[in-house]
Amino acid sequence: MIKIVVLISGNGSNLEAIAKACQNNSIPGSIELVISNKPDVKGLERAQKYHLMSQTINHTDFSSREDFDQALTERVLSIEPDLVVLAGFMRILTTQFTNAFAGKLINIHPSLLPEYPGLDTHKQALENGDLMHGVTIHYVDEGLDSGPIIAQGALKIDPSQSEAKLAQRIHKIEHALLPKVIAEIAKGLISLKGKEVKFESKSYFGKNNMEFFNV
Ligand code: GAR
C-alpha cells in the first residue's frame, strides 16, 4: 500500500476519482493527506466525503513563494509519501519542492503537452482550430507543466461545442486515466529512472501511452 498525498486548488474532481479508486482497491494505496492552497473549495468538501485528512495551507498567508513552498514541503515530508499528486494544483512550485519529491511527484495537465502549458488550454485549442486536444500525466521537473510524460489521452475536438463542454469531456478522460496511472505506479509498473519513465513489461502504458478516447 503506497502513501499518497494529493494537492489541489479547487474543484477536486480528480481527487475524488483517486479516492474512489483507493476505496475500491483498484489503487493499492491510500490518500494520507489532501492539501489545498485555497480555503473553502469544493475539493475539501470531497475530501471530507471520503473521510480523508485534509488541510489548507493558504498561499496568501506567506510573504514569498519560497516561504509557502517551505511550509508545503515540510508538511508533505511529514507524511513520508510514496507519491505526491498535483490534481488541479494551480501554483508554480519552486525547485525546493520539486527536488524534495523528485521521482515521486506527478501532475495532470489538460493539454497534449508540450502543447499549451499554463492556463486556458481548452480556449487555446478551440481558438487555434485544433483537431485534437487532451490530457497529459507526467513526472514533474523544475519547469512549468514539464517533465517526462507517462501517459496522454486524446479526443477529437467538435468545433461546435463550447469551452465548458470541452472541459467536461477532458475531465472524463482525466478521471479514467489518472487512477490507472497511479495504480501502476503503486504496483511498481511505472517509475522514473533519471529523466526517463520506465515501464515494466506488464504496464499497460508502456505500449499505449497515447490513447484516443471517444468521450
Ligand atoms: C484538471 O483539468 C487538471 O488537468 C487541471 O486543473 C483541473 C482540475 O480539475 N490542472 C492544470 O491545469 C494544471 N496545470 P479538478 O479540480 O476537478 O480535479
Side-chain angles (χ1 to χ4, degrees):
M1 292 281 275
I2 64 160
K3 293 204 273 182
I4 304 168
V5 171
V6 182
L7 306 190
I8 61 168
S9 296
N11 182 39
S13 68
N14 280 289
L15 163 69
E16 181 155 357
I18 304 166
K20 270 189 196 151
C22 289
Q23 206 172 53
N24 70 24
N25 296 320
S26 39
I27 294 177
S30 66
I31 300 175
E32 299 287 315
L33 178 64
V34 177
I35 300 176
S36 172
N37 67 304
K38 287 190 182 168
D40 306 322
V41 294
K42 172 96 181 164
L44 289 168
E45 279 175 34
R46 295 191 207 249
Q48 269 195 343
K49 182 170 135 193
Y50 285 83
H51 309 291
L52 303 173
M53 184 159 73
S54 64
Q55 75 179 86
T56 302
I57 302 182
N58 189 338
H59 65 276
T60 63
D61 291 344
F62 296 84
S63 54
S64 70
R65 193 175 288 283
E66 286 72 23
D67 286 354
F68 169 73
D69 272 19
Q70 175 146 4
L72 188 65
T73 306
E74 279 169 15
R75 184 65 185 109
V76 178
L77 276 176
S78 74
I79 302 292
E80 300 183 351
D82 301 292
L83 184 68
V84 180
V85 183
L86 307 180
F89 185 69
M90 306 305 278
R91 294 281 303 167
I92 294 171
L93 290 161
T94 62
T95 50
Q96 186 205 22
F97 189 90
T98 55
N99 288 343
F101 301 102
K104 295 181 179 177
L105 181 59
I106 64 169
N107 180 40
I108 183 155
H109 182 73
S111 79
L112 295 171
L113 290 171
E115 205 73 63
Y116 312 134
L119 300 174
D120 298 326
T121 60
H122 312 313
K123 190 162 175 254
Q124 292 184 71
L126 282 170
E127 281 178 0
N128 290 336
D130 292 355
L131 297 176
M132 306 287 283
H133 187 42
V135 320
T136 303
I137 299 167
H138 63 97
Y139 281 102
V140 176
D141 65 12
E142 59 291 338
L144 171 68
D145 296 320
S146 80
I149 290 176
I150 303 168
Q152 293 187 304
L155 54 69
K156 190 168 177 295
I157 289 185
D158 175 347
S160 71
Q161 283 178 346
S162 65
E163 190 184 327
K165 178 67 189 172
L166 181 57
Q168 210 180 61
R169 292 174 67 207
I170 286 288
H171 260 132
K172 276 195 188 158
I173 300 181
E174 294 188 326
H175 301 161
L177 215 50
L178 185 57
K180 243 170 135 177
V181 166
I182 294 174
E184 287 212 355
I185 292 173
K187 291 172 187 162
L189 299 177
I190 299 174
S191 58
L192 186 69
K193 294 276 174 291
K195 287 186 188 305
E196 304 248 314
V197 181
K198 183 168 180 235
F199 298 97
E200 300 300 328
S201 57
K202 280 191 185 151
S203 169
Y204 171 80
F205 293 102
K207 295 180 200 79
N208 302 287
N209 63 354
M210 163 68 101
E211 189 176 350
F212 180 78
F213 283 78
N214 205 350
V215 286

